[in-house]
Amino acid sequence: PYAFNPETSLNYEVGIKSTWFDNRLLVNLDVFRMLVKNYQQSTLLPIGTGFAIGNAGNFRNQGVEFDTQAQPIDELTLNASGSYIDSLITGGADHLTCDKTYPFQGSPPPASSGPYTDATHSYCNFNGLTLPYAPKWHWSIGGRWEQNWGTSQYSWFVAAELSGQSSAYLDSSLDPRSLQKGYALLSASLGIEPNSGTWKVSLWGKNLTNKRYFTTMAAQTQAAQISGGGTAPANGFIGWLAQPRTFGAEASYRF
């Protein structure tokens, strides 16, 4: 059986939480740094089938994030949040498989002392490169309008949120074909609830602009099967799409 080392992390964090103007404005700010050793990562095998789990070296995340909420009038609540995260592989990542046919993040990574797996794939040194699944920017803005339904004990509300992120690699090998550009998603909801808050009924919609984006990507394996039974490698790349525009209804009750 194949064994790998435990993953450990060391975190530093400093921040501030504050309220202003009689609690109508909330502002939170946080600065952080995280050091991870022996990062455990699942990687699609370049030949054959299945995934291999192993230690992918060390990395560090550092950045800043903020969260704000404002209530200019009783019925309206506005919110905004964002983060900037700088992710970097700092050492020990000299056994990850890569495809020598393609450049990686601008230039090919240097070969490690590990053995080649075939004529195309090798073990490469990814030290100093950006982590996969690590966009530098996340952000969201939104608002909610809520008011009483006439003189009744019920309130209706409508809310919307626009959120997004910057580009990121969606494959652990950092293959340039897995670089997904930044995107934004729009969601909204409409509902009713009693002022006691014991239950809520709402209609909602997610990804209202029907944005097409991927959750993860990987190089195709099993060349013979996907090339019509021949022996030439297909050299393909596949991705798993996220949910398209989706609508739904929700009912909840608090005991």
Side-chain angles (χ1 to χ4, degrees), residues 64-169:
V64 59
E65 57 186 1
F66 75 92
D67 175 45
T68 63
Q69 181 175 298
Q71 190 175 20
I73 58 178
D74 291 341
E75 296 82 4
L76 178 63
T77 302
L78 303 173
N79 58 76
S81 63
S83 65
Y84 173 82
I85 303 176
D86 180 29
S87 300
L88 190 70
I89 300 172
T90 56
D94 59 354
H95 65 283
L96 299 179
T97 57
C98 64
D99 190 328
K100 295 184 291 183
T101 307
Y102 293 90
F104 285 77
Q105 299 194 51
S107 61
S112 76
S113 58
Y116 286 168
T117 57
D118 58 33
T120 303
H121 300 86
S122 67
Y123 289 96
C124 291
N125 186 342
F126 282 23
N127 297 333
L129 301 183
T130 301
L131 280 170
Y133 306 100
K136 287 187 179 296
W137 297 96
H138 284 93
W139 57 269
S140 70
I141 55 174
R144 176 185 172 102
W145 181 277
E146 181 176 356
Q147 68 180 78
N148 278 350
W149 199 307
T151 58
S152 69
Q153 298 300 310
Y154 300 94
S155 298
W156 66 273
F157 65 88
V158 59
E161 181 183 49
L162 182 66
S163 61
Q165 66 176 52
S166 59
S167 60
Y169 289 89

Side-chain angles (χ1 to χ4, degrees), residues 4-128:
F4 44 87
N5 295 323
E7 176 182 316
T8 61
S9 65
L10 179 62
N11 298 277
Y12 305 90
E13 185 176 2
V14 61
I16 183 173
K17 296 182 178 181
S18 63
T19 56
W20 306 76
F21 309 114
D22 197 22
N23 294 327
R24 286 191 174 271
L25 176 63
L26 178 148
V27 179
N28 298 330
L29 181 65
D30 181 59
V31 179
F32 60 90
R33 180 180 176 90
M34 178 174 65
L35 306 175
V36 177
K37 184 178 181 181
N38 293 325
Y39 171 53
Q40 295 175 2
Q41 182 172 271
S42 176
T43 305
L44 181 67
L45 294 173
I47 57 176
T49 60
F51 291 80
I53 299 177
N55 296 115
N58 311 321
F59 73 86
R60 65 115 173 95
N61 283 341
Q62 61 185 17
V64 59
E65 57 186 1
F66 75 92
D67 175 45
T68 63
Q69 181 175 298
Q71 190 175 20
I73 58 178
D74 291 341
E75 296 82 4
L76 178 63
T77 302
L78 303 173
N79 58 76
S81 63
S83 65
Y84 173 82
I85 303 176
D86 180 29
S87 300
L88 190 70
I89 300 172
T90 56
D94 59 354
H95 65 283
L96 299 179
T97 57
C98 64
D99 190 328
K100 295 184 291 183
T101 307
Y102 293 90
F104 285 77
Q105 299 194 51
S107 61
S112 76
S113 58
Y116 286 168
T117 57
D118 58 33
T120 303
H121 300 86
S122 67
Y123 289 96
C124 291
N125 186 342
F126 282 23
N127 297 333

